[in-house]
Amino acid sequence: MQKTDSGIPSVPTVQVIERMFTLIDILASREDAMSLKEISEKAGLHASTAHRILNDLATGRFVDRPQAGNYRLGMRLLELGNLVKNRLNVRDAALEPMRELHRVTQQTINLSMRQGDEIVYVERAYSERSGMQVIRAIGGRAPLHLTSVGKLFLASDEPQRIRAYATRTGLSGHTKNSLTQLPALEKELAKVRRDNYATDNEELELGVRCMAAGIFDDQRKLLAGLSISAPAGRMDEAWLPKLMATAAEISRNLGYHSI
């Protein structure tokens, strides 16, 4: 029997449970209630079999019957989902994937979140045995427009909020590469929206480059950013697909799913 890395079977070993999962997935594919006939056809089950399983699920409030012969997902799933959501922590969800990304790149991996007009470094993965690395202190802060993760958050803002940020901060720069003019920043943010990742080309600190991808929660809200920081001459664009895949993995761990 094929197993996942966690040792849990990839498919249920009890047939009725497998069918139950199938029925729940079918109901989850639609917002409105579905008829027993449609559900059984999609599941490839006899109507009497589907009816029996759905009734048992309704007993446990996993399925609702708004009217006879029609079914939709029940409130019990929402209750359980909220319990799981409350247990989720972005740092916990990110740490192991971050360590794996560090193993691949041998560069520092940062997890950052937005706080006002700055990003805050909340976790990192690095190794003292990996040679030259750029180490950001946990709890350290940096302006949004000077960092790759900060640009992700700005790119998710509405135009008027970006202009308000520019007015508040004055878009002060740290290096000759810093984006200190609103038109240049807006052009950069348009690129971030198009590419779904952001870069810092020695804009916060000379000799240091970063690339970042977003981490999203179950409401599709940008929650944090995952970035690779490296000496400018060692940054490798070939790391980008792995960075984006790792950020997507963390997002899935937090309940995110694409449309």
Side-chain angles (χ1 to χ4, degrees):
M1 178 176 59
Q2 183 183 4
K3 295 187 177 182
T4 63
D5 292 340
S6 64
I8 299 174
S10 58
V11 295
T13 57
V14 179
Q15 187 183 57
V16 69
I17 293 178
E18 181 180 5
R19 291 174 171 177
M20 178 186 71
F21 290 164
T22 298
L23 294 175
I24 289 175
D25 284 340
I26 290 170
L27 291 174
S29 69
R30 289 262 294 275
E31 292 186 8
D32 52 340
M34 300 175 65
S35 69
L36 174 62
K37 181 176 184 293
E38 183 179 4
I39 296 168
S40 60
E41 287 176 352
K42 286 181 177 292
L45 296 174
H46 193 279
S48 62
T49 301
H51 181 261
R52 184 173 65 252
I53 297 172
L54 289 167
N55 282 348
D56 286 346
L57 287 169
T59 299
R61 297 174 52 238
F62 293 96
V63 166
D64 285 340
R65 286 175 294 199
Q67 56 186 6
N70 284 267
Y71 299 86
R72 65 186 178 194
L73 293 183
M75 293 300 294
R76 181 60 177 157
L77 288 171
L78 176 62
E79 294 167 1
L80 294 176
N82 284 333
L83 287 174
V84 173
K85 182 179 179 180
N86 290 338
R87 294 173 186 162
L88 293 177
N89 179 291
V90 65
R91 293 173 70 179
D92 292 341
L95 194 52
E96 286 305 318
M98 289 173 66
R99 288 171 175 165
E100 173 61 19
L101 184 58
H102 166 70
R103 188 191 66 78
V104 171
T105 64
Q106 294 299 297
Q107 300 302 317
T108 302
I109 310 302
N110 301 298
L111 178 69
S112 309
M113 302 181 75
R114 181 176 187 170
Q115 191 169 89
D117 291 339
E118 299 176 309
I119 60 114
V120 180
Y121 298 96
V122 298
E123 191 55 88
R124 66 190 179 192
Y126 75 104
S127 170
E128 295 179 356
R129 299 189 299 273
S130 296
M132 184 181 296
Q133 298 170 90
V134 178
I135 309 298
R136 301 295 187 197
I138 294 177
R141 297 169 177 268
L144 295 176
H145 67 288
L146 300 182
T147 63
S148 55
V149 170
K151 290 176 186 176
L152 293 173
F153 281 101
L154 285 175
S156 70
D157 278 348
E158 298 175 352
Q160 60 267 32
R161 294 190 64 186
I162 297 170
R163 290 192 291 270
Y165 168 84
T167 300
R168 279 195 311 273
T169 64
L171 297 181
S172 59
H174 284 199
T175 76
K176 61 183 178 63
N177 291 348
S178 299
L179 300 178
T180 59
Q181 300 298 318
L182 182 57
L185 177 61
E186 289 175 329
K187 182 178 180 180
E188 177 78 357
L189 298 180
K191 182 176 183 296
V192 171
R193 296 185 194 101
R194 184 189 70 223
D195 297 340
N196 293 317
Y197 73 92
T199 60
D200 159 14
N201 183 29
E202 301 183 69
E203 296 161 53
L204 179 66
E205 180 181 349
L206 286 176
V208 176
R209 295 177 61 203
C210 301
M211 60 173 67
I215 294 172
F216 299 85
D217 65 15
D218 63 320
Q219 300 299 311
R220 305 180 63 80
K221 177 183 176 182
L222 180 61
L223 184 65
L226 187 71
S227 63
I228 301 173
S229 298
R234 297 183 63 180
M235 181 62 77
D236 189 344
E237 300 296 329
W239 295 334
L240 180 60
K242 181 61 176 176
L243 169 67
M244 297 185 74
T246 302
E249 176 187 354
I250 298 168
S251 297
R252 288 193 298 272
N253 292 342
L254 293 169
Y256 171 85
H257 59 88
S258 58
I259 296 177

